């Protein structure tokens, strides 16, 4: 119901973060909390709210739009639990679910950090953090308050009068972009880069190709999401790039083909990171099919195909049928085996990096005996696996000896 400064017709809940309005973010949180009835405080039912209604009903919840606090009271029974989210609140689901899932409470922030961030003061030391979990019986008190009261302020006052426990939100959550109150379009734009960073865990060490994908998402992801570009569209770009790579290999431009397949893998990684953002922020549900997994297997199959086309072994006299496919298939399967079977180590993430593999294969096409490079690659991966397993076994034995 709050208006956006400078835009009398704009509403705070309709401000966009990551291509979705703030109300859509709050709706995902409400469904994750298990809400059976979702009520939006708004003056009129708009097309945007109708779209949210469809999402809520698809999630198994009933959806209502009411214009006053008194109209809310009949929708809440005394035995219900009522979750209240302030207009413009954007919180990471991980934090909100943990704090609100521990019983009736009013979430608070230290006054020193809460007030500058736009949150309302509730006493000398604390600011209201924009979220509450209240017993439904408090709704009876709405009839005693003036009809023109803001619904959120009315419920906060009732909670304070009932001495509902205050639960602190870590002050660092604001600095980290995990908990914020978005009040204007400018604040929404400033919030998006930090919001993307929080949801993709940008501090995790990765291989060079994955690091490039991470930097691309941090640099361009907010703008792509804000423009409504969904990960599926980026996935289609990866498919087109891979098809161009296969076509280049078919016409004998193997080095170019490998380079395009490496680029396709990079684009898949970018699409996967953007999908991760939408999943962890509850903007999308996990699909039945792992499309990213299929895409990565498809790129591996394309790499094998280009290797077989580039191999010189089939041209040798009396060579068995299909000999050019054998070594690349073994190489990619051994890499896959290493990903799942070896202990998780930072340096082993390089084995998952198909951008590096594609660049190495492209270089081998131009400067080295191609088939010999594939064979040496298989040996290197096998030796790496044996060393990693040996170190893991030695570490396990050492721990058992220490415990004994």
């Amino acid at each position: 119901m709050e208006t956006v400064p400078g835009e009398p017709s704009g509403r705070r809940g309709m401000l966009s973060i990551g291509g979705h309005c703030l109300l859509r973010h709050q709706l995902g949180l409400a469904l994750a909390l298990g809400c059976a009835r979702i009520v939006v405080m708004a003056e009129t039912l708009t097309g945007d709210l109708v779209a949210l209604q469809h999402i809520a009903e698809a999630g198994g919840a009933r959806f209502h739009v009411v214009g006053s606090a008194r109209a809310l009271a009949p929708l809440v029974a005394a035995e219900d639990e009522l979750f209240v989210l302030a207009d413009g609140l954007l919180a990471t689901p991980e934090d909100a679910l943990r704090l609100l899932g521990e019983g009736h409470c009013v979430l608070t922030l230290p006054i020193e950090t809460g007030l500058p961030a736009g949150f309302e003061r509730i006493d000398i030391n604390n600011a209201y953090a924009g979220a509450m979990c209240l017993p439904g019986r408090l709704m009876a008190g709405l009839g005693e308050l003036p009809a023109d009261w803001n619904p959120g302020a009315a419920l906060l006052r009732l909670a304070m009068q009932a001495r509902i426990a205050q639960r602190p939100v870590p002050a660092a959550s604001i600095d980290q972009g995990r908990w914020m109150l978005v009040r204007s379009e400018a604040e929404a734009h400033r919030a998006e880069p930090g919001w993307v960073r929080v949801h993709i865990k940008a501090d995790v060490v990765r291989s060079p190709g994955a690091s490039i994908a991470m930097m691309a998402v941090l640099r361009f992801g907010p703008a792509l999401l804000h423009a409504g570009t969904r990960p599926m569209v980026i996935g289609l770009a990866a498919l087109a790039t891979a098809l161009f790579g296969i076509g280049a290999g078919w016409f004998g431009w193997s080095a170019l083909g490998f380079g395009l397949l490496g680029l396709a893998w990079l684009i898949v990684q970018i699409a996967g990171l953007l999908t991760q953002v939408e999943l962890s922020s509850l903007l999308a549900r996990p699909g039945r099919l792992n499309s990213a997994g299929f895409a990565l297997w498809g790129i591996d199959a394309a790499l094998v195909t280009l290797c077989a086309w580039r191999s010189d072994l089939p041209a040798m006299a009396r060579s068995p049928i299909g000999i050019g496919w054998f070594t690349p298939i073994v190489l990619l399967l051994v890499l896959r085996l290493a990903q799942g079977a070896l202990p998780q180590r930072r340096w082993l993430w390089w084995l998952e990096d198909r951008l590096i593999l594609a660049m190495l294969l492209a270089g081998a096409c131009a400067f080295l005996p191609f088939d010999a490079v594939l064979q040496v690659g298989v040996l290197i991966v096998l030796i790496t696996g044996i060393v990693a397993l040996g170190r893991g076994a030695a570490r396990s034995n050492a721990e058992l000896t220490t415990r004994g």
Side-chain angles (χ1 to χ4, degrees), residues 117-129:
F119 292 94
E120 175 186 358
R121 178 194 292 271
I122 56 176
D123 57 38
I124 192 172
N125 295 317
N126 298 297
Y128 171 48

Side-chain angles (χ1 to χ4, degrees), residues 169-186:
V169 175
S173 297
I174 291 183
D175 297 331
Q176 297 168 355
R178 304 180 64 87
W179 201 282
M180 67 189 79
L181 195 66
V182 183
R183 297 163 292 175
S184 67
E185 188 71 31

